[in-house]
Amino acid sequence: MKTYTGSCHCGAVAYTVEGEFTEGMRCNCSHCRRKGFLLAFAPDSAFTLLRGADAQTTYHFNKHHIDHTFCKTCGVQSYGHGQDGKGNYMTMINLNCLEDFDFSSVKVTEFDGASL
Ligand SMILES: [Zn+2]
């Protein structure tokens, strides 16, 4: 397991996450394609918010299953929290916001969220 550091653009929000992220998911839903996410998932236990709890605000849409948390200053959404289809809580990591992440080793998969 590696430990990565992630942050928003201005640095107000930062976190660490443990994992081996060999796949990144691109979703074509109305929300993800606007934000340009490359997503991976981790259990909540692998995620630690270092700073920025008060620097964020949260956006909800559709079924409100996911907390789309983003920085109030720079607008970057570096992660989110929610439940998968089985009700398990997980953290959604925006791989684009990790430091020292090797994108050349990631297999990009497409997810047809627009059809859900
Ligand atoms: Zn920020």
Side-chain angles (χ1 to χ4, degrees):
M1 287 284 210
K2 286 183 188 161
T3 301
Y4 291 99
T5 302
S7 65
C8 68
H9 190 258
C10 73
V13 176
Y15 60 85
T16 60
V17 61
E18 291 174 36
E20 298 285 347
F21 303 117
T22 55
E23 286 190 19
M25 188 184 88
R26 284 201 191 283
C27 173
N28 65 358
C29 86
S30 59
H31 180 253
C32 289
R33 66 184 168 82
R34 279 174 170 78
K35 287 191 172 171
F37 291 135
L38 184 62
L39 296 173
F41 300 91
D44 280 356
S45 58
F47 178 88
T48 305
L49 187 67
L50 299 176
R51 62 177 180 270
D54 298 333
Q56 306 174 89
T57 189
T58 303
Y59 177 59
H60 292 114
F61 70 103
N62 196 9
K63 294 173 183 167
H64 292 220
H65 282 168
I66 301 175
D67 295 332
H68 292 284
T69 311
F70 63 93
C71 175
K72 284 191 267 192
T73 300
C74 69
V76 168
Q77 183 177 349
S78 54
Y79 72 96
H81 281 296
Q83 288 169 269
D84 66 16
K86 294 168 189 152
N88 301 307
Y89 284 92
M90 50 89 198
T91 301
M92 178 192 89
I93 302 297
N94 183 359
L95 296 177
N96 292 324
C97 294
L98 298 184
E99 290 172 15
D100 300 322
F101 186 75
D102 179 10
F103 288 95
S104 66
S105 65
V106 169
K107 180 173 175 262
V108 176
T109 57
E110 307 289 333
F111 181 74
D112 186 16
S115 298
L116 290 181

